[in-house]
Each structure stands twice: as C-alpha cells, then as structure tokens.
C-alpha cells in the first residue's frame, strides 16, 4: 500500500464556556485545529488531527503544524502507511524534531492500518481493557467560588476527577484548592495543575498550605529540576506533564522517583506510535498515566479513546473527552461521554468519518 496524497484542513473549535484559561493569565477563545486526510492507492483513507493549546503551552502552534505538514507531506508520498514504525523513522529522518507536526499523519496512518486489518485501533494498540475509561474535567481558571460551582456542575454530569487550573497567585490557588475539595466526595480525585506557573517559593507555599488536603500536584514549575525539588519537599502525590515529552524523560523521572503519574499527550510524543511506546514503558515501570493530547476535537478524542482503552485499567489514572468542550463537531462516530466515562469505537480504524462539509476545502494538499 502506498500514500498517494495528503490533504490538510483548518477548522475553528469554539468553546462552550467561551474561553479556557490556565496559568499566568494564558487563555484561548477558539481552538485552531488541523485535520489531515491521508489518501492511498486503495479506496482507504485515514484521518488525523493536531490541535495545540494555543501558541504558549508547548513548543507548538497551529500555523506551525500546517507549515510543517507542507515540509513533511511531499516526502511521505509513496511510503507504506501501514508500516507505522518505519514510517515514523522516515518522518524523523526528513524533518528533525517538531513531533506535533508528525502526530496527525501518524494518527491518520493508524486509522488506515485499522481499516486494512478490519480492527479498531484499540485492538492494534494492545487490547481493550474493561467497558470504558474514566475521564477528568479540566476546570478553567476563575475565582475560587466560580471554579467550585463549575466542579459541582460537571460532577452532576458524572465526572469524578477534576483538574483545577491553578498556577496563578499562590494565595488565590490555595483558596481554589480548598474551595473545590470542600464540595467533593470521598473517592473523587482532585488535581491542582499549575502548568509550570509557579516559581519554586510559590510552589512550596502552596504545597505546604494544602498538605492536609487530598489533592495531587501537577507540574508546579517550568523545569524538571525545579519540579523535582518541590516533589522532594511534599508528601502530596505528584504528576509531571509538560517536561515528560520523551522516553528519556520518563526513564529519568522513574530513576529519580520524580513523579507518581505522568501525562501522555499524543502530539507531545509525535503520534500514537510513540505515545504507545511511552505508554507501554510506563506500564513496565509501574507508573500511572493520564492519556490525552494538548487539545482537539472529535478526531483527537477518538484517538485518545483508543490509546486510553488499550491501557491496563489500573495504570489509567484518567483520560479526556475534548470534543465535549467545543461547540463544533468535525467527525461522525467519535466517542461521547456517558457518566464521566467514554469508550473506544469497535469499528475498524479510529471509527470516525470526517465531516467534509464542516472542514471545507483543504488549505493545502499534495499528491503523487
Ligand atoms: Mg497538565
């Protein structure tokens, strides 16, 4: 089988809540997502998506994804989309770095492989564990009382895990954490995600002030070394996210005892192939994971569901349904949450069909 063409689409994903805000005053109103359709010399096509969390979260931005695809795409024509590891080696040879650019192509090729095999991607990624997977809800940064109300509202929709966006002024963040924990029940999980927003002295103040609270602390500071220092000075369970972008980072974190949970974001690693490698390594090392991406619509949510559903249940800390945050659907067949949980499609491939009427004309394409 050969790749004969790539089509790249741009689509805006507005938010039900109007905007999404996190540490240091960062905010996005409308997500700018990129969809890639990979065409082959058979009648099978595959679809992938990449959606950075604005330009200020990871070293990734929406226009960069599309520019990178124009560099990468022509060099993939004629390659076999079903030979995923080999294809990834080719992508790494012709474009150094830029994992998020490669993510949508890799995702689309897993969709193709599943359709060729007649199996859901979930099966190809290792097997399906249980009926469904547990989701968290990210709670956009607002004043403490509004965040507590939002948590109460989402809890009534079935969510039991909440990721509070902190990383603001420490006094405000302490109030946010306490206000939200107050309204939760035993068994609910609360994660305070600072998204690198605290200096070390601020992080120390917060972890000391909430030491009696049942809360996880996520990525308090920008660097690995800073996070490790906070980790060594708190008894609260600890999550690393932004600095965990490679197998090397996982191995170093495991050797240092730097975290209890890591977040595996598909585009941060460069696609499902490398995210699977990271996921399998974490299982071998005994590290629990949140399986997700930086952001996305229906296609990324489908890809997340397959990787999450093929993760042994006890290692899956949480996952996420980004398509429920946005007002625009871009594919049929994507998973939709039921009671704070979702399940991967049982259809071949990712189990989705892009809505071409919503995507409009491609912004760029190449073909053999
Ligand atoms: Mg995070």
């Amino acid at each position: 089988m050969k790749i004969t063409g790539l089509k790249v689409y741009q689509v805006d994903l507005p938010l039900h809540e109007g905007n999404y805000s996190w540490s240091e005053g960062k905010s996005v109103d409308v997500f700018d997502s990129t969809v890639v359709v990979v065409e082959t010399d058979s009648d099978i096509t595959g679809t992938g998506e990449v959606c950075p969390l604005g330009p200020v979260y990871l070293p990734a931005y929406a226009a960069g994804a599309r520019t990178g695809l124009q560099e990468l795409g022509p060099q993939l024509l004629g390659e076999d989309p079903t030979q995923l590891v080999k294809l990834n080696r080719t992508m790494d040879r012709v474009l150094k770095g830029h994992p998020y650019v490669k993510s949508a192509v890799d995702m689309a090729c897993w969709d193709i492989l599943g359709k060729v095999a007649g199996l859901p991607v979930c099966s190809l990624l290792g097997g399906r564990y249980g009926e469904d997977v547990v989701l968290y809800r990210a709670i956009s940064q607002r004043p403490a009382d509004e965040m507590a109300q939002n948590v109460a509202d989402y809890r009534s929709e079935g969510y039991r895990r909440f990721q509070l966006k902190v990383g603001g002024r420490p006094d405000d963040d302490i109030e946010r954490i306490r206000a939200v924990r107050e309204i939760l029940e035993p068994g609910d999980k609360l994660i305070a995600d600072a998204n690198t927003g605290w200096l070390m002295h601020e992080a120390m103040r917060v972890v000391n002030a909430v030491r009696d609270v049942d809360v996880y602390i996520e990525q308090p500071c920008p660097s690995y070394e800073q996070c490790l220092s906070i980790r060594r000075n708190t008894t609260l369970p600890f999550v690393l996210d932004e600095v965990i972008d490679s197998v090397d980072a996982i191995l170093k974190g495991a050797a240092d005892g730097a975290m209890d949970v890591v977040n595996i974001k598909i585009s941060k690693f460069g696609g499902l192939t490398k995210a699977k490698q990271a996921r399998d390594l974490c299982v071998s090392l005994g590290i629990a994971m949140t399986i997700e991406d930086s952001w996305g619509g229906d296609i990324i949510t489908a890809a997340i569901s397959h990787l999450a559903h093929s993760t042994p249940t006890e290692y899956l800390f949480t996952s996420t349904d980004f398509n429920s945050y946005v007002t625009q659907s871009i594919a049929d067949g994507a998973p939709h949450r039921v009671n704070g949980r979702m399940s991967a499609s049982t259809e071949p491939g990712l189990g989705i069909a892009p809505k071409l009427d919503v995507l409009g004309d491609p912004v760029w394409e190449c073909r053999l």
Side-chain angles (χ1 to χ4, degrees), residues 57 136 163 165 191 193-195 218-219 239-242 263 265 292:
Y57 174 61
Y136 76 83
Q163 190 191 81
K165 292 295 158 186
I191 303 111
D193 185 1
N195 286 111
E218 179 169 330
Q219 188 79 37
V239 185
L240 287 180
D241 184 354
E242 282 88 336
N263 291 7
K265 290 184 159 80
E292 58 170 351

Side-chain angles (χ1 to χ4, degrees), residues 193-207:
D193 185 1
N195 286 111
T196 75
W198 292 323
L199 297 176
M200 289 172 67
H201 71 96
E202 296 174 319
M204 283 310 304
R205 277 200 61 224
V206 177
V207 298

Side-chain angles (χ1 to χ4, degrees), residues 32 34 52-56 58-67 98 100-101:
D32 180 345
T34 299
L53 183 52
V56 291
L58 290 173
Y61 66 108
R66 295 187 284 273
T67 303
H98 301 278
Y100 71 109
V101 171

Side-chain angles (χ1 to χ4, degrees), residues 136-213:
Y136 76 83
R137 187 77 191 188
I139 305 298
S140 183
Q141 191 173 110
R142 309 268 191 264
D145 55 340
E146 280 180 46
M147 290 175 86
Q149 185 58 52
N150 287 341
V151 167
D153 292 345
Y154 286 118
R155 194 177 188 284
S156 71
E157 293 182 19
Y159 287 105
R160 292 293 180 267
R161 301 187 181 192
F162 303 93
Q163 190 191 81
L164 285 193
K165 292 295 158 186
V166 290
R169 290 180 52 235
D171 293 303
D172 297 339
D173 289 334
I174 293 162
E175 193 188 345
R176 289 178 174 115
I177 293 166
R178 288 197 172 277
V180 170
R181 188 68 239 190
E182 190 98 325
I183 62 149
L184 294 179
E185 300 286 334
D188 295 352
K189 289 201 171 84
L190 179 63
I191 303 111
D193 185 1
N195 286 111
T196 75
W198 292 323
L199 297 176
M200 289 172 67
H201 71 96
E202 296 174 319
M204 283 310 304
R205 277 200 61 224
V206 177
V207 298
N208 285 337
V210 301
R211 66 200 315 161
D212 61 315
V213 179

